[in-house]
Every structure is written in C-alpha cells, then in structure tokens.
Amino acid sequence: MTVSYTHLSHTAGWVGGLTRLLVIWKGSLFKQIWPDFLLFFGLYFLLSFFYRLILVEYEDSKVVYELFCVYCKKYSERIPITFLLGFYVTQVVSRWWSQFMSLPWPDTLARYIAVYMPGTDAKSRNYRRAVCRWVNLGNVLALRLVSYKVMVRFPTYEHLVESGLATNKEMIQLKQMDDLVNKQHQISWFPFMWAQNLLRKARKEGLIANDWFTHVLIKEVDNMANMNGMLICYGWINIPLVYTQVVTLAVYTYFISCLFGRQYLLPTQYKVVDNAYVPAGDFPVASSWTETKIAGTMNIIGYDENMADFYIPVFTILQYLFYMGWLKVAETLLNP
C-alpha cells in the first residue's frame, strides 16, 4: 500500500530530517515485518538460552552444537542474497510503476467530450453520459480480472446494473458475448466499442463539429481500451515463478542459517600439552576481557577468538530489517 509522506520530508532542514519518517506506522517497514521479526528472534533467543543453560553442562553435545553454528556461519556467507534480492526488487518495483502508469483515467476523455460535443440539449447530454458510463464500465470489467477487491465489489453483471454502470439490456449483451467466447476471453473492450459507435453516430447527427474532433475522441477511447489490455497482460504474465521461488528460498535459507551462525558461543579454551588438547578454561567474558582471557589458549571448533559475547546481535537485527524489508517490498508490490 502506498502511503503519502512527502509533507513530512523536507528538502532542507535539520540534520537527519528524514528520521521523522521512521515513526510512521501505516505502510511502514516495521508493520510489514514485525510477525516475522518476532518469530525469528524468538527462536534465536530460545536457542541461545538452550545453549547457555543446558548444553554448557554437556561438553560433547556443546561441541557438536558449536561446530554446527560455525559451519552455518561460514557457508551462509556464500548465498548471493544481495545480488538476488536487489535485482528482483528492482524488477518488481519497475513492473509496479508500469502497472500504475497503465491505469486508464477517464478524466481526459470527459474533458474532450465536454469541449468537442458541447451541446446543451438532452441528446448531447445523454450521449456524453453514455460514453463516459461505458468507458467506466469497460474499466471495471478489466479491473475485475486483476483486482480481488474490485471482483468482490462487482462479482456478477447484476451488481454492475445495481451500481448504475450498466443497464439490463447491456447486461444481456455482455452475457451473450461471454457465451460467444465460451467465457475464455476477456470482454472489457466491448463497452469501448459501444462508445466508439456512439461517437460515430454523434458525428453523423452533427453533434460533433468535424471529423478531426471525432477522430480525437475515438482515439482517446481506443487508448483507454489498450491500457486496459496492458493492465490485463500484467495480471496474466507474471515475473517467472522460478525467480520468485529462488529469491524467497535464498532469503529464508539465509536467515535460518543465521539462527545458528550468528549465535554468540562460549567454546571451551584448550592448550596443547604433549600433542593433545587439554581444557584450560572458559571463554573470556566481555566485561573483563583481559582478566579472563588466558594466554596461549585456543578453541577447537574454529570460532573467532575475538568475538566477545554481547548477548544481543545488533548487526544481525539490522541485517534482518534490511533484507526482510527488501523482500516485503517485493511481496507487497508483486500484486498491488
């Protein structure tokens, strides 16, 4: 959902002027990802408590768990998540904007009709109203094919009649055309054809001053029909499913591996004595690093000796916000 926030962003102002946008909830990053965020870090801290309170009592199991965490840390970095996600989101955003630009607006046609068919008599008014109504009817028929909310609002042709977009006679014609194409093809172009025929009739009756005005009006109706066709194509031809699957799999696989790979570990420190590893002490504590770090020791699982235990994975949280927020952008705009 697009949320307007330009009135809150200034081109010049205090340092960090755009930071005020971070407190907007509607349509925000935090609203999109908070369920996934709570699930991910709930599991993260659950694993952390399990490791710190239970596994530390069983050295063999603790070592196996630590080895698996180091393994996840090492190989998760090989997932090209930035490349996959960046290219995918670029394609989705570009496609979303093209879809918006394909929306047909009847305003231009309404202005043209008011200028090129300006009669104040009842027939001219009825012709203008009929053309605009048929154009809107065609738009709704097209939007029913691509928008769930529009389909819910107008589930049947009877609902179009109730709303005033169509008459009973026009509803019968639409149903007949649907039957003619075996309900396998879209018929949003049908009302536009009615509008074009009516404009031609208006020219013959002298309600439109010249052929050029008639051409402009008919061409504008045709442009709107073509834009509806393009909109339907966007709903018909999607971004390849395999690419969407690859990106989704890459992101979720990456963060599943981060559940283990980003854990702060407390591996037992060892010294080499007579070609054998001998336990020498616990992993140093961040608050008293120099006092608790034993010289000449090492861990045997390949964990970074300089990675202190800070409990809260700040940069993992930031990375989750960025990458998962990126993915949520694509999920939201893929079918706007």
Side-chain angles (χ1 to χ4, degrees), residues 81-141:
I81 185 172
T82 303
F83 169 75
L84 290 173
L85 197 53
F87 184 76
Y88 181 70
V89 172
T90 299
Q91 295 298 314
V92 171
V93 172
S94 176
R95 187 174 184 270
W96 164 74
W97 183 250
S98 297
Q99 283 179 284
F100 175 75
M101 296 304 294
S102 297
L103 288 172
W105 298 86
D107 305 66
T108 301
L109 177 63
R111 292 197 305 270
Y112 284 173
I113 289 180
V115 172
Y116 296 152
M117 194 165 55
T120 57
D121 57 288
K123 179 180 287 188
S124 297
R125 288 199 302 270
N126 290 335
Y127 277 20
R128 288 195 296 266
R129 291 170 182 172
V131 170
C132 291
R133 181 170 59 81
W134 285 335
V135 165
N136 285 315
L137 174 60
N139 289 345
V140 170
L141 290 176

Side-chain angles (χ1 to χ4, degrees), residues 137-209:
L137 174 60
N139 289 345
V140 170
L141 290 176
L143 291 174
R144 287 173 75 242
L145 301 176
V146 297
S147 172
Y148 173 75
K149 290 187 177 181
V150 177
M151 175 58 78
V152 170
R153 173 63 181 84
F154 302 102
T156 65
Y157 290 129
E158 284 75 11
H159 288 81
L160 295 173
V161 175
E162 292 175 2
S163 65
L165 285 171
T167 64
N168 286 315
K169 181 180 177 180
E170 292 163 357
M171 177 185 68
I172 294 173
Q173 291 178 323
L174 290 172
K175 288 183 177 180
Q176 288 175 344
M177 180 57 69
D178 244 351
D179 294 336
L180 188 62
V181 298
N182 296 322
K183 298 183 179 180
Q184 295 182 358
H185 303 281
Q186 63 92 9
I187 60 170
S188 64
W189 52 268
F190 203 19
F192 291 98
M193 189 181 68
W194 297 341
Q196 289 173 323
N197 286 332
L198 186 60
L199 290 171
R200 185 182 61 180
K201 181 180 178 181
R203 170 58 184 144
K204 289 182 179 180
E205 295 177 356
L207 300 179
I208 302 177

Side-chain angles (χ1 to χ4, degrees), residues 84 88 238-250:
L84 290 173
Y88 181 70
N238 300 309
I239 291 178
L241 176 62
V242 63
Y243 195 19
T244 302
Q245 291 175 332
V246 166
V247 171
T248 304
L249 184 63

Side-chain angles (χ1 to χ4, degrees), residues 3 33 41 44 56 102 108 137 143 148 161 198 207 213 229 233 248 254 257 263-264 266 292 322:
V3 177
I33 72 168
F41 285 100
Y44 178 91
V56 290
S102 297
T108 301
L137 174 60
L143 291 174
Y148 173 75
V161 175
L198 186 60
L207 300 179
F213 289 172
C233 286
T248 304
Y254 177 79
S257 64
Q263 293 286 342
Y264 290 113
L266 303 170
T292 56
F322 301 151

